[in-house]
Amino acid sequence: MSEITVLVLARRGDPGLAALARLPAGTRALVAHDLEGALPLAPSADALLVATGNARLLEAVWRQAPRVRWIHTRPAGVDHLLFPALVQSPVPMTNSRGVFSAALAEFALLGLAFFLKDVPRMLRNQASARWEPYEPIALRGRALGIVGFGDIGRAVAARARPLGVRILALRRSSAPDPLADEVLPAARLLEMAARADDLVVATPLTAETKGLIGEGVFAALRPGAVLVNLGRGPVVDETSLLAALDQGRLRGAALDVFEQEPLPPDHPFWRMDSVLVSPHTADRTAGWEVDTMEVFLENLRRFRDGEPLLNPVDKGLGY
């Protein structure tokens, strides 16, 4: 059996590259940091490890890599990496989903508590040395709608339920899930929103989910709801979100993703007490680059041995 060659596309100094020292027997890695370095190596590649979000680089390498039989992306989100030729090809794609879920779930709880406990008020009062008792809101007893009940959504539910939060999950299939009090199909989004006190968005970006969370959902949510977006920025219609915040229909929004990134300096979100801005780093906890490599290494062994791969991506659906 000939040696399997993996072409790794990564930025210089990527901490995850140290894991390449543990490649399974019968495999080797060639590392490229840019297009100039990658193109000469592409024809010899049997597999690609994409450790960068550079879609143009991936597409250019793909065109010069006729031997590639598998692609693994270290990011969990792949919508920005897909292009027609890749989607239409039979080459399987996998990702490192699951690695980021715990950190994102923690951010969701932070976002909910930030507004329900009115942390902005605490900070304003502390800055002015003002003693002003008030009544914070308890998480216990609230209904949390989770749009997208994959690894991230389920991780949020696993952490929220022990706090007494009722979980209403929305996904393509309405099959019961032990982490949800109720699972609803995607067609019942507005019904779920009407029954939710707060909403966490954890769905990937597809043609169907772009702008999914908009005026209709914000109108349906119970007054004083908190929105947390962990998925992709364009899933939430920011114009409708701004209107709901300005009109006081939402208590607040904790956002890790945005329609445009980086968020422009003149964007209203920067100046709103009702918005918590995170620069798309909620999942970048210490060691994340190394952690994502474990899934790749296991999949490389499976690829070598002809076994089913972990974390397959449905390229047609985009996740």
Side-chain angles (χ1 to χ4, degrees), residues 22-178:
R22 297 186 284 116
L23 289 176
T27 68
R28 67 170 183 153
L30 305 175
V31 180
H33 305 297
D34 50 35
L35 185 60
E36 183 180 5
L39 288 183
L41 304 176
S44 63
D46 300 297
L48 297 177
L49 169 59
V50 182
T52 171
N54 190 329
R56 291 183 178 179
L57 174 60
L58 174 59
E59 185 170 3
V61 169
W62 167 266
R63 290 197 297 265
Q64 303 299 320
R67 289 176 44 180
V68 164
R69 294 177 285 123
W70 164 53
I71 298 176
H72 183 86
T73 73
R74 211 167 62 178
V78 301
D79 54 274
H80 61 296
L81 293 173
L82 297 173
F83 49 91
L86 176 56
V87 172
Q88 295 162 14
S89 80
V91 173
M93 173 181 273
T94 57
N95 64 13
S96 292
R97 66 178 178 268
V99 173
F100 309 99
S101 300
L104 290 171
E106 290 174 6
F107 178 81
L109 293 184
L110 165 68
L112 293 170
F114 186 84
F115 291 108
L116 294 178
K117 303 305 181 184
D118 206 350
V119 174
R121 177 192 293 215
M122 293 187 208
L123 295 175
R124 289 194 303 269
N125 287 346
Q126 184 170 342
S128 60
R130 182 180 181 184
W131 185 268
E132 182 188 53
Y134 68 97
E135 291 186 356
I137 298 170
L139 273 166
R140 177 172 295 277
R142 292 179 75 82
L144 177 62
I146 302 179
V147 180
F149 210 60
D151 288 326
I152 298 171
R154 297 183 80 252
V156 174
R159 288 156 179 77
R161 286 190 89 192
L163 300 177
V165 176
R166 176 176 170 79
I167 303 298
L168 305 176
L170 190 89
R171 64 182 179 190
R172 294 172 65 89
S173 167
S174 59
D177 189 292

